[in-house]
Amino acid sequence: MSITSYNGSALIAMVGKDCFAIASDRRLGVNFQTIACDFQRIFKIHDHLYIGLSGLATDVQTMHQRLNFRHKLYQLREERNMRPETFASLVSAMLYEKRFGPYFCEPIIAGLNDDGTPFICTTDLIGAKQLAKDFVVSGTASESLYGACESMYKPDLGPDELFEVISQALLASVDRDCISGWGGIVHVVTPNQVITKTLKGRMD
Amino acid sequence: MECLFGFVGDGFALVVADTCANQSIVVQKTTEDKITCLDSHKLLGCIGESGDRVQFSNFIQKNMNLYHFRNGIPLSTSAAASFTRCELATALRKAPYQVNMMMAGYDKRTGPCLFYLDYIATLQKLNKGAQGFGAYFILSLFDKYYQKNMNVEEALQLVDKCIWEIGTRMVASPANYVIKIVDRNGARLLARRGRNMSPNLPYAKIS
């Protein structure tokens, strides 16, 4: 099995009207053996910025620790939070630093700009940044996720409808991938609040 | 064919490991203790490459000691697990430690907890987990028979079921096991088991 499909993962981020949603599956596995059903792949950087990391679980945890560290230093120096574009560039640079011995994770960055407009982007494991206007996906189930998101997505959805769309897309896709799934977690972020919900899907 | 498993019960956490030290086809020792007491209220069960296993678990134990010495208070279990993960992750791309671990501990505020630590530094807090080839058999038994808040007697019965299953169904299964417990009163040896000595089982024994 390839190194990026050793642990299994599925991640989506979608843009709505003045809000965004980011969702992931919850399975942690070792090849075909399931170890846990509550693995955290989406991390909060600050109130309006979330990063989801797919791929090898150890690199997910290492990247999260390093990014948290860099953002906290930035907060101490600049006395403010990082903007999503800046953070995306930071992630890209950190990944490219390891160009010839990379971290085997593919992040999804989702945030709200200061004026409330949502921002999403994804990079590959060596930091090639790709912005998007509608949705980004990552993980072992990414082919299914692209199809599900493309058919279910509509622009300018409110927070409740966006939650429905992203949840259905995630659950439909992970059912077609044996190494991701075992439930899901969705964060819907608006300028004033974050709504976090866990999904119960097929627990296999 | 090493086995390491553990689970959390009512106010305690249990770690079970086999005690066989093998070198290719030879059983060198049947009383090798693979579960280290990191401090008064933490256990680290460690299986894998024998040199790395001994060196790494001692290294972590001494670092726990050093922190306590410097700061006057011991590390919490989750902090200890996180420290161990960082050591593994740093060494991963230089000279990896080939050890799989289960760390159990008891903290006054949060109670007992168990952590799964892979050789590639994957860390996950769990209620029940297993490492090694034995995991293929034990995890299914856990799914069927594990319940939250078991007491020590029920926990030992579950351990016995697991040991019997490994002994019956796994080729070259280890002969002996050690069971250690950590609870409010500290980390200590609870029992030893031999593959053919598991008591009080409702299954027919074929010798």
Side-chain angles (χ1 to χ4, degrees):
Chain A
M1 256 174 136
S2 106
I3 190 89
T4 49
S5 56
Y6 185 73
N7 293 121
S9 52
L11 279 162
I12 320 178
M14 274 188 186
V15 162
K17 192 160 175 59
D18 298 327
C19 63
F20 70 86
I22 185 166
S24 83
D25 75 324
R26 306 224 69 192
R27 179 183 179 272
L28 173 70
V30 169
N31 289 329
F32 292 125
Q33 187 180 80
T34 302
I35 302 292
C37 315
D38 56 359
F39 187 66
Q40 188 186 7
R41 288 202 170 83
I42 299 175
F43 302 98
K44 184 174 109 156
I45 302 295
H46 60 76
D47 281 339
H48 292 153
L49 180 58
Y50 282 71
I51 181 165
L53 291 152
S54 71
L56 196 61
T58 177
D59 287 342
V60 165
Q61 290 173 330
T62 303
M63 275 299 287
H64 157 57
Q65 287 179 326
R66 292 193 66 204
L67 287 167
N68 225 357
F69 170 68
R70 293 292 298 265
H71 183 253
K72 283 183 178 169
L73 274 182
Y74 184 93
Q75 276 178 327
L76 285 172
R77 274 198 294 263
E78 303 255 336
E79 293 180 348
R80 63 182 178 90
N81 289 328
M82 243 192 221
R83 274 184 283 113
E85 291 95 351
T86 319
F87 186 72
S89 296
L90 171 68
V91 173
S92 175
M94 275 176 64
L95 287 170
Y96 197 78
E97 267 179 341
K98 306 280 183 193
R99 170 65 177 83
F100 298 109
Y103 290 119
F104 296 103
C105 61
E106 297 185 337
I108 283 186
I109 298 124
L112 285 175
N113 291 315
D114 295 327
D115 56 2
T117 51
F119 168 90
I120 52 169
C121 94
T122 183
T123 84
D124 71 358
L125 77 169
I126 45 173
K129 215 172 24 171
Q130 192 67 276
L131 307 179
K133 292 197 173 63
D134 40 15
F135 58 85
V136 286
V137 303
S138 182
T140 51
S142 55
E143 281 117 357
S144 307
L145 285 165
Y146 274 122
C149 290
E150 195 66 63
S151 56
M152 296 190 200
Y153 179 78
K154 284 198 290 280
D156 289 330
L157 291 168
D160 297 320
E161 297 153 311
L162 188 64
F163 166 73
E164 270 308 316
V165 167
I166 201 175
S167 312
Q168 295 298 343
L170 181 72
L171 290 176
S173 311
V174 300
D175 284 347
R176 282 291 183 180
D177 179 21
C178 57
I179 51 174
S180 56
W182 283 88
I185 189 163
V186 186
H187 304 273
V188 181
V189 183
T190 62
N192 304 315
Q193 57 175 349
V194 175
I195 307 157
T196 301
K197 297 190 190 178
T198 44
L199 307 172
K200 187 158 177 162
R202 278 182 66 108
M203 304 300 259
D204 60 5
Chain B
M1 304 278 170
E2 296 176 291
C3 300
L4 174 64
F5 59 99
F7 53 91
V8 173
D10 186 15
F12 67 91
L14 217 60
V15 179
V16 183
D18 74 289
T19 58
C20 294
N22 303 333
Q23 192 82 349
S24 93
I25 58 166
V26 177
V27 177
Q28 287 177 327
K29 185 178 178 191
T30 52
T31 52
E32 172 80 7
D33 189 357
K34 297 181 185 173
I35 308 176
T36 329
C37 290
L38 295 180
D39 65 20
S40 61
H41 285 78
K42 281 185 208 45
L43 290 171
L44 180 67
C46 208
I47 58 167
E49 185 70 43
S50 20
D52 286 343
R53 169 170 55 79
V54 173
Q55 289 287 71
F56 188 70
S57 50
N58 280 343
F59 172 66
I60 298 298
Q61 187 190 51
K62 301 312 172 209
N63 273 283
M64 297 292 110
N65 226 344
L66 181 62
Y67 183 93
H68 194 168
F69 200 58
R70 278 182 177 155
N71 299 292
I73 50 166
L75 271 174
S76 68
T77 315
S78 58
S82 189
F83 169 77
T84 310
R85 192 206 94 79
C86 281
E87 288 300 320
L88 284 168
T90 316
L92 179 64
R93 286 170 159 93
K94 295 178 190 147
Y97 294 107
Q98 290 163 49
V99 284
N100 294 312
M101 289 170 277
M102 301 288 301
M103 187 185 288
Y106 185 91
D107 303 311
K108 277 206 195 78
R109 273 188 309 122
T110 50
C113 55
L114 180 70
F115 289 90
Y116 168 101
L117 266 164
D118 223 339
Y119 72 104
I120 46 172
T122 310
L123 173 66
Q124 181 68 13
K125 184 166 185 295
L126 292 172
N127 278 334
K128 53 195 193 301
Q131 298 272 19
F133 282 110
Y136 291 106
F137 306 94
I138 293 164
L139 287 176
S140 324
L141 281 170
F142 280 166
D143 286 338
K144 176 100 178 138
Y145 294 114
Y146 173 83
Q147 272 143 21
K148 284 198 170 156
N149 298 325
M150 289 194 289
N151 60 32
V152 182
E153 291 76 35
E154 290 165 345
L156 279 175
Q157 280 171 13
L158 178 55
V159 169
D160 288 335
K161 283 196 177 85
C162 293
I163 292 173
W164 192 88
E165 189 66 26
I166 297 170
T168 319
R169 288 298 180 184
M170 199 167 97
V171 71
S173 55
N176 301 309
Y177 297 81
V178 67
I179 306 168
K180 291 198 179 176
I181 190 172
V182 61
D183 62 11
R184 208 163 32 94
N185 304 322
R188 60 194 181 278
L189 174 72
L190 181 65
R192 289 186 183 274
R193 289 283 188 266
R195 180 178 48 204
N196 300 317
M197 284 167 25
S198 302
N200 297 330
L201 278 174
Y203 315 104
K205 278 197 205 156
I206 304 166
S207 54

